[in-house]
Amino acid sequence: MSLTVSATEVLRPRLLTIPDYQRGYAWEQDQVQDFLDDLSLLEPGKTHYTGTIVLLGGGEPLVDDESNALVRADVVDGQQRLTTLCLLLNELRRALHTAGREEAALGLRRQFLLISEKGAPRNKLQVGPDSAAVWTALLNDTHAAPPETLSARRLQAAALQIRRHVEQIASELDDPVEALFSLRNLVVTGLHFTLYTLHQQAEVGVIFETLNDRGKPLTELEKVKNYLLFLAARIPSGQQEALADRINAAWSTIYRLLLEVAMVSPAGEDQFLRAHWLAAVDPVPTKWKGIKSLKSHFPRQQYFGKPDLLIQEVGGYVDSLARAARAYADSLRPDLQAFSEFETDATKARSAHERLSRAGTVAVFQPLMIALRERAPKDGDAYLRVLDLCERFAVRTYLIGGYRADAAQTRLYRLAHEVYTGKRTPSSVETAVRALAMDYANDTYVRQSLLDTEFNWYRWGALKFFLYEYELHLLGGATTDISYAFFEKSKREKTIEHILPQTASSPYWLKRFDGNERRQLTHALGNLVLTRDNSAYSNKDFPDKRGSSGPGVAAKTCYAQAPLAQEQELARLADWTPEQVLGRQERLADWALERWAIDFSDFDPSNQMEDEEEVGGEIGGPKPADLLMSE
């Protein structure tokens, strides 16, 4: 049964816990401001409907040191609203304390925020471990270590936003204390919720499937969990709780791992769900429709009277999704914990994923990476061989070859599904990926693409990546002093140098390059070099750009004294002419074919490309122009 209750009626008689299988604090500035704006429209004596809260009761009541019997409950929906409400109450407490109204401040603290249990303070709303330290520090007016998780950062930012809001309200009236009391009264009596209290975990899915007013839309991942809990509620009670616990345990792992991903990558939950589905269930990307696909694959009518079948199929899906979350997270945040199952190959796997991430082509390979980890979770060597081929294929096909990002995806997804279902071995995947590369980007095509002097390589989206990899090659294994992140975040105009200037006008340049050669070669790949700061080179003649180094030579910005090996390489040249531009472009093409080499010796070059609906371009068609981008 649902009840419309005030914030006081929700918070005062309960000890609430946000389980760790729920996502952490997710509200950002806009959602917090909407909450505050709604409150500002509330008139004294009126109520404002704030949304739905679903609680799961359980356990013996807790009796605090003031003899209050508090009902224990888990918050299974509405945790964002409740957390924000408590943040607001806490900031009101702080403001009243600062204003000298200690009794009122203590009243808010004892009624809504903190209790005493056997002499020790205890939070009335307990949040997940990812933000617990920040939450406790806020309630106790202490300092916490800098937040390490995204949810903790959001929680801290929301508290500061609400603090400023409370301070502003107090400053706008002649009597700031009266303004604080008015706001307190509005919050504790005027904010109303629809409250559902459940007694079994499996009932959560039923509520989510039947509620119409859901407030902020659920993510696909939340919808999937709720539907699975809904299915669990349809089996005998003894099995309900076991399956519900299994689902919640999986989501606890999934949320934790995806939160780690969110710290370093924009890839989200939907991408994860899709990648797992393509590998484990159906490799056809056009058939993936989110929760609709899941409901179609696990229709509730299929399990009427068949609880064991439901447990087997739904439980198997849930377990595989949790395992996939590990593979997905490792591929996007290759830190020291990633790929630990590979033991001695773990460091190599992390480095390989860093290279693939620099190339910006991770998503299309994620189903395959999930499948490999599923079938051979400890075989780091097999994983590395396939991953290395994926990087080579990606650079040749998408970056150099200019194919759209969806080219070959159906074949790659089909490979992933075949590996996941045990129909294909990792070694046969290597052969298949090499065949793909032969079809899309053989050596002749890659060389022709790289030697194109009509294309504006300066606007090539992969230029920084390409030249950075060339820099690593020149260093020969030595550690670079400048990370790729520096170049990735810097403007193209700052970090890409035209050896022949874009506006060459001096006699030196006009003598060596006629008008047609300047038009054709200024933006040629052979005329571009990575640099730390391009502004100092300007339109100088090559001898001035080249400079010199050594004992007694004054420090200046020049190739000879530059920090990058590819600039120093240019300092060994006596002159810069059209022949030098073309020669350097030839050398870069030779290096690229060696750096991303693929052995095609066992393939018949006369074989035609396999027909596919999703081919993103035809060989000989799209060029790297497809990767143009502006900064």
Side-chain angles (χ1 to χ4, degrees), residues 328-616:
Y328 181 80
D330 285 356
S331 72
L332 291 169
R333 55 109 181 87
D335 55 24
L336 293 178
Q337 297 178 0
F339 303 103
S340 57
E341 298 90 341
F342 290 170
E343 297 181 348
T344 57
D345 287 324
T347 300
K348 294 178 182 177
R350 291 192 288 267
S351 297
H353 268 287
E354 286 177 357
R355 293 194 298 271
L356 191 62
S357 295
R358 282 201 298 268
T361 54
V362 177
V364 72
F365 301 110
Q366 280 171 336
L368 186 55
M369 299 302 102
I370 288 172
L372 289 167
R373 293 287 294 277
E374 177 72 16
R375 300 308 301 178
K378 296 183 178 181
D379 193 344
D381 183 62
Y383 186 90
L384 281 168
R385 290 198 306 271
V386 174
L387 185 61
D388 178 68
L389 271 173
C390 288
E391 181 206 350
R392 295 170 189 267
F393 172 79
V395 174
R396 295 170 70 110
T397 302
Y398 305 125
L399 303 190
I400 297 173
Y403 285 93
R404 293 198 312 258
D406 59 354
Q409 69 172 10
T410 295
R411 291 166 73 179
L412 288 168
Y413 296 160
R414 188 163 63 242
L415 283 176
H417 186 63
E418 289 170 355
V419 171
Y420 199 100
T421 55
K423 298 175 182 177
R424 185 182 284 272
T425 63
S427 61
S428 70
V429 172
E430 296 176 51
T431 303
V433 175
R434 288 193 298 118
L436 272 177
M438 181 70 179
D439 286 342
Y440 280 89
N442 59 41
D443 289 350
T444 300
Y445 180 69
V446 171
R447 177 176 290 278
Q448 288 175 348
S449 297
L450 289 170
L451 294 181
D452 187 351
T453 57
E454 294 295 329
F455 174 64
N456 186 339
W457 289 93
Y458 180 61
R459 305 309 305 175
W460 183 34
L463 180 60
K464 292 179 186 178
F465 162 79
F466 185 88
L467 292 177
Y468 186 79
E469 291 294 318
Y470 182 59
E471 179 71 15
L472 296 179
H473 158 71
L474 293 177
L475 289 172
T479 303
T480 176
D481 294 330
I482 310 175
S483 70
Y484 180 64
F486 170 80
F487 298 105
E488 188 177 34
K489 295 176 181 178
S490 299
K491 292 285 187 181
R492 187 187 310 268
E493 293 78 8
K494 175 182 174 66
T495 56
I496 298 296
E497 150 76 350
H498 287 79
I499 306 167
L500 164 67
Q502 297 185 71
T503 56
S505 58
S506 72
Y508 175 89
W509 292 117
L510 296 181
K511 179 181 178 180
R512 288 162 175 77
F513 293 84
D514 62 29
N516 184 59
E517 288 168 333
R518 291 198 301 275
R519 179 197 65 78
Q520 185 180 33
L521 299 179
T522 297
H523 299 307
L525 183 60
N527 191 54
L528 303 172
V529 64
L530 205 60
T531 184
R532 185 169 192 142
D533 187 359
N534 175 50
S535 61
Y537 290 124
S538 186
N539 296 330
K540 294 178 182 178
D541 296 342
F542 183 76
D544 291 333
K545 290 186 174 187
R546 182 187 61 211
S548 60
S549 62
V553 177
K556 61 176 291 189
T557 301
C558 61
Y559 296 154
Q561 298 182 36
L564 296 183
Q566 56 194 277
E567 293 177 277
Q568 297 169 23
E569 184 183 46
L570 293 172
R572 294 193 284 271
L573 301 176
D575 205 359
W576 192 250
T577 65
E579 291 74 25
Q580 293 284 10
V581 176
L582 296 173
R584 183 169 180 266
Q585 191 148 336
E586 286 269 6
R587 293 193 296 276
L588 287 172
D590 290 340
W591 161 76
L593 282 169
E594 181 180 350
R595 167 63 180 82
W596 293 288
I598 296 179
D599 182 10
F600 300 124
S601 60
D602 56 337
F603 289 120
D604 182 355
S606 65
N607 286 345
Q608 298 297 309
M609 181 183 291
E610 178 182 327
D611 290 335
E612 289 196 60
E613 295 180 358
E614 95 298 340
V615 171

Side-chain angles (χ1 to χ4, degrees), residues 213-230:
D213 179 13
R214 291 290 304 121
K216 185 180 178 182
L218 293 173
T219 66
E220 289 297 299
L221 189 60
E222 288 171 321
K223 291 176 183 177
V224 167
K225 181 186 78 168
N226 296 337
Y227 180 68
L228 297 179
L229 288 172
F230 170 74

